[in-house]
Amino acid sequence: MPVERKPLISGNWKMNLNHFEATATLDKLRYLLTKDDYEAVDVSVHPPFTDIRTVQTFLESEKVPVAIGAQNCHWEAKGAFTGEVAPGMLAKLNVSHVIIGHSERREIFGETDVEVERKVNAVVAAGMTPILCVGETLEEREGEAHHGKVTGQVHAGVQALTPEQVSAMVIAYEPIWAIGTGRTASADDAQEVCGWIRAKVAEMKGADAAAAVRIQYGGSVKAANAAELMGQPDIDGALVGGASLDADEFARIVQYRLS
């Protein structure tokens, strides 16, 4: 019997919204989403570190069933790492999901597959769910090197995990050329790579892990294209960037099934 994978729609706020703006955005979002929405779709928001405590307080006090996420973390539990945040610190704030290996971390800050693997393992060890980001550049896509690039990133990210741990994690396919550019991979292109990712997970960790792992698509996701993307068999959610800053737009993405 096929495994039912509840979609996960995640809003990555990046370096936007101070804690006052965060509260206002979430206050609007809670009136836009309904019990039916939360029953159909899991939702997480990933604010800047400086907003997390405020977001936690608001969501918990208002009993809003939106998961608290983070955008990154270090792999060490503590130490002399100025400017970094440990996984355990996030877990104490009831953070449930942590984005690891986002293309901006890889491309701008030079994060390697080795560092990404350490972070994934640390997030799992702290009892949180990693959202492992993988994806190719335009040059790699045009050179038909995207399968090799994505395969290497997936392998590095999951190799040390058990099949059960992989089953519980999230992998986000985000073609770098589609992030913040207004360009979106076609639904067929996105499905082809997400299906490839699931096949690679099956090779590494078994059919059960591959059937259970949730695979998101990220890259200029909007309300206008969400339903088509989410209709693909191997796409189990979306990692939403700029559109998640607008409560109305983000709510329409969460409600893609109604369009």
Side-chain angles (χ1 to χ4, degrees), residues 37-118:
D37 295 326
Y38 295 123
E39 289 178 351
V41 179
D42 287 334
V43 182
S44 68
V45 291
H46 300 252
F49 288 133
T50 53
D51 293 0
I52 290 178
R53 177 58 174 161
T54 299
V55 167
Q56 178 202 13
T57 300
F58 178 85
L59 293 177
E60 292 179 358
S61 65
E62 300 298 333
K63 297 180 171 54
V64 182
V66 169
I68 307 166
Q71 300 175 20
N72 183 39
C73 69
H74 199 270
W75 58 83
E76 293 288 354
K78 61 182 178 180
F81 302 101
T82 300
E84 294 291 338
V85 173
M89 296 174 179
L90 298 175
K92 284 291 186 183
L93 293 171
N94 290 346
V95 167
S96 61
H97 294 71
V98 185
I99 298 170
I100 299 296
H102 191 281
S103 64
E104 290 160 2
R105 298 296 312 174
R106 296 179 188 263
E107 298 292 310
I108 299 173
F109 299 102
E111 284 191 8
T112 66
D113 281 345
V114 171
E115 291 170 327
V116 169
E117 178 189 6
R118 289 174 177 169

Side-chain angles (χ1 to χ4, degrees), residues 228-240:
E228 183 181 14
L229 289 164
M230 294 294 296
Q232 303 305 309
D234 288 300
I235 297 179
D236 311 311
L239 182 56
V240 185

Side-chain angles (χ1 to χ4, degrees), residues 77-239:
K78 61 182 178 180
F81 302 101
T82 300
E84 294 291 338
V85 173
M89 296 174 179
L90 298 175
K92 284 291 186 183
L93 293 171
N94 290 346
V95 167
S96 61
H97 294 71
V98 185
I99 298 170
I100 299 296
H102 191 281
S103 64
E104 290 160 2
R105 298 296 312 174
R106 296 179 188 263
E107 298 292 310
I108 299 173
F109 299 102
E111 284 191 8
T112 66
D113 281 345
V114 171
E115 291 170 327
V116 169
E117 178 189 6
R118 289 174 177 169
K119 291 183 178 187
V120 167
N121 296 342
V123 168
V124 171
M128 298 178 293
T129 300
I131 298 178
L132 169 66
C133 296
V134 302
E136 79 282 358
T137 64
L138 181 59
E139 183 179 12
E140 289 163 340
R141 160 67 67 163
E142 292 178 341
E144 298 187 356
H146 54 296
H147 284 155
K149 173 72 171 290
V150 169
T151 298
Q153 290 175 330
V154 171
H155 184 274
V158 308
Q159 60 183 340
L161 302 180
T162 67
E164 292 74 22
Q165 289 169 332
V166 174
S167 295
M169 72 181 295
V170 180
I171 300 175
Y173 169 57
E174 41 159 33
I176 297 170
W177 47 271
I179 297 173
T181 64
R183 299 181 59 176
T184 309
S186 71
D188 289 341
D189 286 342
Q191 163 57 29
E192 191 273 328
V193 178
C194 289
W196 176 274
I197 291 170
R198 200 174 302 282
K200 293 305 165 185
V201 171
E203 290 177 11
M204 293 183 65
K205 300 297 176 178
D208 288 347
V213 66
R214 292 194 283 190
I215 301 176
Q216 295 177 319
Y217 170 77
S220 297
V221 177
K222 302 177 180 66
N225 59 30
E228 183 181 14
L229 289 164
M230 294 294 296
Q232 303 305 309
D234 288 300
I235 297 179
D236 311 311
L239 182 56

